[in-house]
Amino acid sequence: MHALFSLQSPPDVQASVLPAGCVVALTADHRHFDSEHEHATRAEAARRLAMLKGVGFRGEFKRTLPCEAPTYFVPSDTLTGDAADALGITDEHDLFGGVVPHPFVGTKVITHPLVYQSAAKPKGWNPAFAKRVAGSVLRGYSAFSQDEALIAGKRVLDHGNARVKPACATGGRGQTVVRNVAALEHCIGQMREEELRTHGVVIEENLGEPVVTLSVGQVHVAGLRASYHGVQRMTRNNHGHMVYGGSDLTLVRGGFDALLALDLAPNVRLAIEQSRTYHEAAEECFPGFYASRINYDVAQGLSPGGEPRSGVLEQSWRLGGATGAEIAGLESFRDRPDCRQVWASCFEVHGTQQAPPGATVYFRGNDKVAGELVKYTVVSEMRTDAHAS
């Protein structure tokens, strides 16, 4: 999924100190989420979260600048417990995102079991998690060596095509669909043992087209809690590749129970229930995990044998692509105490496009890597107590 941030050394002492009660953006790892548009998006999200909390936004956090509580962090990535401790983060009220006890817990590798009990695994691995979520994920395995990855892949290939997913890859990048053992052996053979030993790989069944990816999540900021379900959109970028293009969300005030109280299509209700199971399992199986922003991608399609399948692919306990719509929902609930339900959408449009009137723009410009890009959010409708379903 992605690399997690862990402070390697204590900050240097500097004369100036951040004022208490402020929000800062944090680039957790300058190898990830470090492009111009990602910096701009993170800064705008942090600025709007500061407004929600009624405190000032102080820009990008510098590791050489000591923090004075209650500084609220908006990191680019999931944090490890050690990193959170070093920053003075103690619970979900101190950051927009999540904290995990071990780096692997924040990646997709926790989703599946190992090929056997004595297989290679990182410190802190808990086999109870995979058992707990078995009915909420697709068929698959996680592995931390080439030999065990081959065993995992062959087991999945017995039922159809397999998808090989490096644990730290994000947004579907780096994934390979293999259709036979020869292709599997070639794919696994390209992976470095050190990378596998440190981060692992996921091998799971590859659903047949069409596949729908649903998003289920929850955000909790400044005493406001919103839960949502939605769908993702794909778009073509400036290089001709299909990439994430935004999300359309239905948000409700409250937790998953409030979300499940809506009139939902059966497949959406299933996705929400599977996501809640996944989240509760993480809380139970990995002490030290907490998050104020959770998001789960749920894939729905047909198995290689033609049966309907639905399962959580991975988690995101950090600022993400749907965050603009999430914040829009929180702002609506803040501004309208009678508002119970909000429809909000976020867009990532490549090329020389303009945001529509009234949109909240998170980035507009020419990114050195992505090219011309505009990222914005719109609220399409709000429903009050009198009209709630």
Side-chain angles (χ1 to χ4, degrees):
M1 183 175 176
H2 49 267
L4 280 72
F5 172 53
S6 178
L7 287 178
Q8 299 300 315
S9 59
D12 299 327
V13 176
Q14 197 171 19
S16 56
V17 177
L18 291 172
C22 66
V23 174
V24 294
L26 171 65
T27 303
D29 185 337
H30 287 275
R31 297 167 300 176
H32 302 272
F33 312 112
D34 197 29
S35 68
E36 292 174 82
H37 74 86
E38 287 166 328
H39 272 282
T41 301
R42 192 156 55 249
E44 178 61 17
R47 188 183 72 82
R48 301 193 77 86
L49 289 167
M51 294 172 65
L52 272 172
K53 294 175 66 65
V55 300
F57 171 52
R58 295 295 181 263
E60 179 76 15
F61 170 71
K62 306 297 182 184
R63 299 185 197 182
T64 55
L65 194 62
C67 291
E68 180 181 342
T71 301
Y72 185 87
F73 291 86
V74 183
S76 60
D77 214 336
T78 311
L79 302 181
T80 62
D82 289 343
D85 290 344
L87 292 168
I89 295 170
T90 60
D91 58 31
E92 66 175 279
H93 303 294
D94 294 333
L95 85 164
F96 187 80
V99 173
V100 293
H102 306 281
F104 77 87
V105 179
T107 75
K108 60 176 68 71
V109 78
I110 66 170
T111 303
H112 298 292
L114 304 175
V115 289
Y116 42 79
Q117 188 174 357
S118 60
K121 52 187 171 291
K123 178 182 178 182
W125 182 266
N126 187 347
F129 181 84
K131 294 178 181 178
R132 180 84 161 72
V133 303
S136 299
V137 302
L138 303 180
R139 177 187 286 115
Y141 297 91
S142 293
F144 292 88
S145 74
Q146 286 190 345
D147 289 344
E148 289 157 7
L150 288 172
I151 295 172
K154 290 173 183 177
R155 290 184 184 177
V156 175
L157 284 171
D158 285 341
H159 302 275
N161 297 338
R163 182 174 291 268
V164 181
K165 303 161 61 174
C168 292
T170 61
R173 290 180 288 271
Q175 299 185 11
T176 304
V177 176
V178 297
R179 294 171 171 79
N180 52 56
V181 173
L184 173 70
E185 291 175 341
H186 175 77
C187 181
I188 299 302
Q190 302 302 304
M191 299 181 178
R192 294 185 297 113
E193 279 285 5
E194 180 182 358
E195 178 79 8
L196 283 171
R197 185 168 55 252
T198 302
H199 301 295
V201 64
V202 166
I203 304 177
E204 67 186 13
E205 62 181 324
N206 184 60
L207 299 184
E209 298 293 342
V211 176
V212 176
T213 301
L214 304 182
S215 294
V216 177
Q218 188 176 115
V219 285
H220 183 203
V221 180
L224 297 166
R225 188 181 299 274
S227 300
Y228 63 84
H229 70 83
V231 293
Q232 299 180 10
R233 282 176 274 102
M234 301 298 287
T235 190
R236 195 171 298 279
N237 68 11
N238 292 308
H239 307 293
H241 302 134
M242 296 304 294
V243 297
Y244 174 77
S247 297
D248 303 312
L249 304 185
T250 298
L251 303 103
V252 297
R253 186 190 296 269
F256 285 131
D257 286 340
L259 192 60
L260 288 166
L262 299 177
D263 183 14
L264 302 167
N267 70 303
V268 175
R269 183 172 297 277
L270 174 60
I272 296 169
E273 291 171 343
Q274 290 176 325
S275 298
R276 181 163 67 172
T277 295
Y278 195 105
H279 180 70
E280 291 175 350
E283 291 183 316
E284 294 170 9
C285 297
F286 298 108
F289 160 66
Y290 55 87
S292 63
R293 192 268 178 177
I294 61 176
N295 176 277
Y296 301 99
D297 288 344
V298 182
Q300 296 184 333
L302 298 178
S303 73
E307 303 89 3
R309 299 284 286 128
S310 176
V312 176
L313 297 177
E314 60 183 314
Q315 73 281 39
S316 175
W317 300 324
R318 59 170 177 82
L319 181 143
T323 291
E326 296 164 357
I327 293 175
L330 291 174
E331 291 170 336
S332 298
F333 296 143
R334 174 201 61 191
D335 296 339
R336 296 279 301 275
D338 62 340
C339 180
R340 310 303 300 175
Q341 191 172 345
V342 176
W343 286 264
S345 299
C346 50
F347 295 83
E348 298 189 10
V349 184
H350 296 258
T352 53
Q353 302 289 330
Q354 294 295 318
T360 299
V361 177
Y362 279 76
F363 177 83
R364 179 168 47 212
N366 192 337
D367 183 271
K368 290 181 180 178
V369 176
E372 289 287 344
L373 175 67
V374 58
K375 300 168 73 171
Y376 62 91
T377 296
V378 296
V379 173
S380 57
E381 188 178 350
M382 290 187 286
R383 182 173 290 175
T384 63
D385 283 316
H387 301 93
S389 58

